[in-house]
Structures are given as structure tokens and as C-alpha cells.
Amino acid sequence: MKAPFCSSCTNHNEFFCGLKSNDRDVFSVNKKFHFYKKGEVIFAEGKRARGLFCIYKGKAKLSKTGAEGKDVIIRLINKGEVLGYRALLADEVYRASATALEDSYICKISKKVFFDQLSSNQLISANIIKILTHDLAKAEDNVIHHSQASVRQRLARVLLLLKSKYGLEKDGRTLTVTLTRREISEMTGTTTESVIRALAAFDKDGILNLHKKKIELVDLSKLEMLADLQE
């Protein structure tokens, strides 16, 4: 696949939203275009930030090593979204690792090109402030929700998040993204065994059907009720 011009990209991107075509193409002529296989690391926690990554096609996750070496998924990324901007802006190492959830094509903008445009384009600065503010509010909400939720609540919320983030297949029920039970546990902040038991219970209750790694959401109303249930 050839590297696409940013001015003709159809992905929705809050980072470059509102930029004129010629401003976008400044990034186009200076960027690199990479292919990452499913499971391949895009950048690693602890490494110095050298550029900005934007997903053209594919899916990725941001994960951080927590207590006892257990990974915690802190964010899911879809096509059109940008990675690595916080470490780049702070001129520090990455606080999390980015990994492809499926075969992905990703554009990389160098640190120099990014800061050159940042200093000369006020719209990019405004977009960044908006994104960082949104990230902070979302992080605060996640802390509150996870600290007060049961495993069943957390799992229901994760499944609804996956539906919202990546959508459903043509049947209108099956999640388009496939995650391992361990990855789901990394999102819920619990053990893999607890996730397996909770998924089996949801399956038994007719809330979903399990087809190996594929998850079919059968009863959305019940799933939404579980997600909001106060226990």
C-alpha cells in the first residue's frame, strides 16, 4: 500500500481537524509509512519519544505495565487516531506501549516536523489542547467507574466500549475486534480467570454468544443495564 496524502485522507482525525490541504501536505511529504503485523510493538514503554504516529488503517492498544508485571490496557486506538503525542510534547519517555491489534498501516511524523508545524499553526495547538483536556476528563471518569464497579459491571462496560470504538460486523451483533481473554482482563483490571468466568456467565444468561475469540452481543439492553447497575 502506498503512503496516502494527508489532504486526501478520509479518516476523521481531531488532531488535524480544520487544517487546510496545503498544511496537511506538509506532513505528507515528510512522513514515513509503516506496516505493523498483529501483535507487533509500535513503540515501547520507557523509550524516548521520537515522532507522532497516526493510524491510517487498523487498530491498536496502549498498555502499561502495572503491579507484579501485569499489563493494563489504558486506551484503544482506531483508524484516524494519533499516538505518542503526550510523551512528544513533554519531551519524555513513553509512559505506555503501543501494540497493533490487527495488521495496521501507520503514518509517522518526525519530532522536528511536528514541532515546526506546532510553532507556526495555532489551529494545531488548539486541537491539541482540546484533545488533552478530553483525555484528562476521560481518565478521571475511568478511575471512578473502575474503583466502584464489580467484575460483571467492568466487563459489560468494556464490551460496550469495544462496540462503540470498533463497531459490529455485517450481522449487526458480532464485535469486529478480536481480543484474547488476557487482553480483556487487562481492560477490566481483573484476572483472566475472572473474565473467563464472567463471559461464561453472560453466555449462559443469553447476553452474548462466544465463538472462540469472536464475541456476539445478543442482548444489548441487558448488557447496558448491567453496565449501569449499582451493586
Side-chain angles (χ1 to χ4, degrees):
M1 183 180 290
K2 292 184 179 180
F5 266 82
C6 296
S7 59
S8 60
C9 182
T10 58
N11 292 331
H12 175 69
N13 187 306
E14 293 182 350
F15 210 91
F16 304 112
C17 182
L19 290 184
K20 296 178 181 178
S21 295
N22 59 332
D23 290 330
R24 291 191 181 198
D25 284 340
V26 171
F27 294 110
S28 294
V29 297
N30 291 286
K31 72 183 180 182
K32 294 183 178 179
F33 194 55
H34 298 283
F35 172 72
Y36 293 86
K37 291 183 179 181
K38 179 178 179 179
E40 190 173 352
V41 175
I42 301 164
F43 58 76
E45 183 177 356
K47 296 293 185 180
R48 178 65 60 177
R50 300 296 183 191
L52 191 72
F53 298 83
C54 183
I55 297 186
Y56 175 67
K57 183 179 180 181
K59 302 178 179 72
K61 65 177 179 179
L62 273 182
S63 59
K64 186 173 179 63
T65 303
E68 300 178 357
K70 178 179 173 59
D71 286 343
V72 178
I73 294 178
I74 57 176
R75 185 181 158 206
L76 294 172
I77 302 98
N78 206 356
K79 65 180 181 179
E81 294 189 69
V82 175
L83 292 167
Y85 51 88
R86 277 174 288 193
L88 197 63
L89 289 166
D91 191 25
E92 60 183 22
V93 298
Y94 293 115
R95 298 289 184 93
S97 296
T99 308
L101 285 174
E102 65 181 31
D103 290 353
S104 302
Y105 292 89
I106 300 178
C107 301
K108 182 183 178 182
I109 299 166
S110 72
K111 183 177 181 179
K112 182 183 184 306
V113 171
F114 170 69
F115 278 107
D116 284 347
Q117 293 304 302
L118 184 62
S119 63
S120 63
N121 196 310
Q122 292 184 348
L123 184 55
I124 295 178
S125 299
N127 287 345
I128 289 173
I129 292 171
K130 192 180 298 182
I131 291 170
L132 290 173
T133 303
H134 174 76
D135 287 348
L136 180 59
K138 196 170 183 179
E140 291 172 346
D141 288 342
N142 287 341
V143 169
I144 295 172
H145 287 160
H146 267 64
S147 64
Q148 299 176 348
S150 67
V151 173
R152 287 170 63 88
Q153 277 181 297
R154 294 181 193 181
L155 178 58
R157 289 169 182 169
V158 164
L159 293 173
L160 290 173
L161 172 63
L162 293 172
K163 172 183 174 291
S164 173
K165 190 77 176 180
Y166 296 129
L168 302 172
E169 294 184 357
K170 292 181 180 180
D171 63 3
R173 292 157 64 108
T174 304
L175 295 172
T176 60
V177 63
T178 55
L179 300 177
T180 65
R181 300 299 185 257
R182 179 177 178 178
E183 286 174 325
I184 295 174
S185 74
E186 290 169 0
M187 290 187 66
T188 57
T190 187
T191 64
T192 304
E193 292 74 17
S194 295
V195 163
I196 291 172
R197 287 195 295 270
L199 283 171
F202 282 8
D203 193 344
K204 183 178 179 181
D205 293 343
I207 299 171
L208 53 77
N209 286 329
L210 300 174
H211 308 284
K212 295 184 179 180
K213 290 183 181 180
K214 289 284 188 179
I215 298 177
E216 180 189 359
L217 306 181
V218 177
D219 195 332
L220 275 177
S221 61
K222 189 174 290 187
L223 194 64
E224 290 166 352
M225 184 176 67
L226 277 170
D228 292 332
L229 186 64
Q230 298 297 317
E231 296 181 350

